[in-house]
Amino acid sequence: MSKLRIATTSLAGCFGCHMSFLDMDERLVEFLEHVEFDRSPLNDIKNCGPCDIGLVEGGLCNGDNVHVLREFRANCRVLIAVGACAINGGVPAMRNHFDLSACLEESYLNGIGVENPQIPYDAELPLLLDKVHPIHEVVRVDYYLPGCPPSPEEFMSVLGDLLEGREPVLPKKLLHYD
Amino acid sequence: MGAEENRYAFNSNTFDMDGVEIPFKDGQTIMDAALAAGIYIPHLCHHPGLTPHGSCKLCMVDIGNKCMSSCTTPAVAGQQVSNNTPVLNEARKTITQLLFIEGNHLCPSCEKTGNCTLQAMAYFLGMLDGHFPQFFQRREVDASHLTVMLDRDRCILCELCVRASREVDGKNVFAIAGRGVTAHLVVNSPSGKLADSDLETSDMAAHICPVGAILIKEHGYEIPIGRRTFDLHQVGEIGLEKVIQAKARHTNE
């Protein structure tokens, strides 16, 4: 039996969802007998190739996030929004209460202890979006894995269903948003 | 025999809900009769003892071919009511999603998480995401009061605080102002600030908020995860209001 190919990425995420994924602990060993990783922060693959499952944590806060998300959507058969940020923008979306310029000025010009104040503008740097967005506002999402972060049991439940070719159904006792 | 007679005199009427015969008193709503019979109808803006409001629409039931709010519809003898159906629960989930995307319900950073009835409702209905685009509205936070704060980002306009303040202690501290999507909670004080109102932490209105819109200051994250109201209970349990109210009150507040 060929292994399922899984890609993962963190956009405007905190890597907490990836840590929670790794909290499967020793269950990861058996899991890895059924899957192999495509592009992921856990390996060195630079671009996402054709995959069965894409796990996306984090919302969209800059142009690079949108680019990566579109690469994932184009290559992943099943795309899963993982965690509160990918689902509704999460805590980073609290910046939507403020003008982007006000945020940048507070951080890079007027902040306490700032030396040589200037707002970074090198072409290497992705431009911030005006607002933080959930990923479903840019691409179609197949499944949602709520939580901040989702528990390892949630990952196992949904990925287990997909591995066995079932429609993922998250048991209500695993459902939480915090 | 006397007691038996009394019971029948009291519950002279019944209606049918999901195949169960539910007794009611004249003038009683479908919601109140169902709750008295120990049957849950999902609701957010209903609270026993306060005037029904009919804004959240989660309690809608099918009566014949009509969809009605059970909290405002009087029970009628012989009525056929459907409550716990997949279609109604799916519609209730959609309404809950609308409430989530309309405000800024960022549960991971909210003090009410685990004790929030809206969140528990979403769990109960199996809501995984908001489905609709977020509004990301910006609304005023009122932190002027010494012991109570108001975060309008999370307000679902259920008017429980409005009704509690008007009907329980007569202080009439809160009201809803504005129209359509700009409707919002206001404070009935000359400045519009909570600090200039008569609100006290001992008021029911300071504790009745089902979401994280009205919070008691200097009391945050005091209940360990695993022991919060909805870690221990399901929103569908009957008589949970007392548990929620008791938990909402802090010692030394």
Side-chain angles (χ1 to χ4, degrees), chain B residues 207-229:
Chain B
H207 292 283
I208 201 168
C209 183
V211 293
I214 299 175
L215 295 171
I216 306 300
K217 283 187 176 179
E218 295 181 22
H219 290 277
Y221 307 103
E222 286 177 351
I223 307 172
I225 291 172
R227 282 162 58 188
R228 302 167 302 181
T229 306

Side-chain angles (χ1 to χ4, degrees), chain B residues 5 18 23-25 33 45 54 56-57 59 63-64 69 87 148 184 236:
Chain B
E5 262 173 16
D18 295 338
F24 70 95
K25 293 176 239 166
C45 72
C56 79
K57 291 285 172 277
C59 73
I63 305 169
S69 299
V87 172
V148 183
H184 59 287

Side-chain angles (χ1 to χ4, degrees), chain A residues 97 137 144 172 176-178, chain B residues 113 124 127 138 153 228:
Chain A
H97 274 35
E137 291 186 12
Y144 296 87
K172 278 189 188 173
H176 68 113
Y177 307 146
D178 56 358
Chain B
T113 184
F124 179 78
M127 183 186 112
R138 186 177 180 180
D153 275 350
R228 302 167 302 181

